[in-house]
Amino acid sequence: MQSRTNKQRKFTLIWISIIVVLFGVLVIPSILNRIKTKSVTDYRRAIGTSEYMYSENEKLSYVLNAGKPRKMPSFRLINQDSLEVDSSNLSGKVVIVDFFFTSCPTICPIMSRNMALLQDEFKTSPVELVSISINPKYDKPEVLRSYLENYGIINSNWNLLTGDREGIYEIAREGFYLYTEENDEVVGGFEHSGMFALIDKEGYIRSRSDEYGNPIVYYRGSVFKDAGVNSDGEEEQIGILIEDIYKLLKEN
């Protein structure tokens, strides 16, 4: 019995040795070659983080709710020129939506600069930029107009919107599922998401997918594009947002 057990162990060790030798002969040279040609890096980019999940021919994902593609919620709000903006009039255009407030001392200035970058990138394209204030009590049209001028917002397709507070919070929370809250204990008095929503020409919320094939849903707008990452280690996503806007513009 003992002899049989020893033979089995020897047999197992022989096979392990064969596998190790084959790995060394066949796999290691391939890995070294990939490192030299940077193909390992390319492969990681192809399957890695959402930043690199991009294919020219692959459609962006739909964001689902109860199994159905989620649409941008309907709204009627007032812009910086005291003109009504109806979401139904945005049909046929690619739309970027964010939530902000003009007195925000933290992420909003970064978000607005990133929006200004998008304005410059798509100034001749059918792209609408929408920034909705979560402090409408203070952010009247004249305040929005002044804010607009401070950030060099020159594109008539960028609307800073205000309106009924409860209606705006419903749009944010129940329409986009984005966190928004008035809180006197935080700097600026409000808490909100620093994300940008990407809407296609038919009004559906779209995004690219992460490394697991799931939609990333929204794009981080609270990190400067040129910064790469912020102090918390969060990566900028304006670069991939620009790529995905161009992709939606090409869709029929």
Side-chain angles (χ1 to χ4, degrees):
M1 190 73 173
Q2 176 110 17
S3 174
R4 183 177 180 181
T5 301
N6 289 336
K7 286 183 179 179
Q8 289 176 336
R9 287 177 180 172
K10 288 180 180 179
F11 184 79
T12 300
L13 289 174
I14 290 171
W15 272 109
I16 291 173
S17 299
I18 292 172
I19 291 171
V20 170
V21 171
L22 288 173
F23 180 87
V25 172
L26 300 177
V27 178
I28 290 179
S30 176
I31 293 175
L32 292 174
N33 183 61
R34 285 189 178 187
I35 291 173
K36 290 178 182 178
T37 62
K38 299 183 180 180
S39 61
V40 168
T41 303
D42 295 338
Y43 177 72
R44 290 181 62 188
R45 287 182 175 180
I47 66 170
T49 64
S50 60
E51 183 178 1
Y52 298 110
M53 290 294 288
Y54 181 80
S55 170
E56 188 70 31
N57 298 319
E58 184 177 351
K59 285 191 173 183
L60 297 179
S61 298
Y62 287 87
V63 176
L64 303 180
N65 184 22
K68 296 181 179 180
R70 192 197 312 167
K71 276 199 166 187
M72 174 178 66
S74 300
F75 59 80
R76 284 185 181 179
L77 297 169
I78 304 300
N79 73 0
Q80 65 272 3
D81 297 317
S82 298
L83 300 174
E84 184 179 83
V85 175
D86 191 322
S87 58
S88 64
N89 294 330
L90 301 177
S91 178
K93 300 177 182 179
V94 175
V95 183
I96 311 300
V97 179
D98 76 338
F99 292 85
F100 84 118
F101 60 106
T102 62
S103 58
C104 171
T106 54
I107 62 174
C108 295
I110 299 172
M111 295 166 64
S112 294
R113 289 193 179 96
N114 280 331
M115 276 291 214
L117 187 152
L118 295 177
Q119 168 197 247
D120 294 340
E121 180 74 21
F122 297 101
K123 57 187 175 183
T124 60
S125 302
V127 175
E128 292 279 345
L129 307 178
V130 175
S131 295
I132 303 176
S133 172
I134 60 172
N135 185 14
K137 183 178 180 179
Y138 176 76
D139 288 339
K140 303 301 183 183
E142 59 272 19
V143 175
L144 296 177
R145 165 57 63 180
S146 177
Y147 186 88
L148 176 153
E149 293 170 351
N150 287 338
Y151 279 89
I153 302 173
I154 58 175
N155 193 332
S156 61
N157 291 337
W158 187 358
N159 285 290
L160 278 61
L161 303 182
T162 188
D164 174 69
R165 180 189 183 280
E166 295 307 314
I168 288 173
Y169 277 56
E170 183 177 348
I171 292 168
R173 294 169 178 172
E174 299 179 23
F176 286 100
Y177 297 94
L178 288 174
Y179 178 72
T180 303
E181 190 63 61
E182 189 169 357
N183 186 349
D184 293 335
E185 296 182 0
V186 300
V187 178
F190 293 86
E191 294 180 289
H192 67 103
S193 164
M195 308 303 283
F196 288 1
L198 174 60
I199 317 298
D200 69 15
K201 297 174 186 177
E202 296 182 345
Y204 290 102
I205 302 173
R206 303 281 293 276
S207 76
R208 67 173 59 190
S209 298
D210 63 17
E211 63 268 38
Y212 304 106
N214 301 313
I216 65 171
V217 185
Y218 299 121
Y219 298 77
R220 189 176 297 114
S222 56
V223 182
F224 285 123
K225 179 180 182 296
D226 294 338
V229 297
N230 64 11
S231 58
D232 294 324
E234 296 175 319
E235 294 183 0
E236 70 86 21
Q237 293 184 331
I238 300 302
I240 65 171
L241 174 58
I242 289 173
E243 291 179 347
D244 293 347
I245 292 172
Y246 276 116
K247 178 171 281 194
L248 290 186
L249 286 172
K250 294 178 181 178
E251 287 189 353
N252 295 326

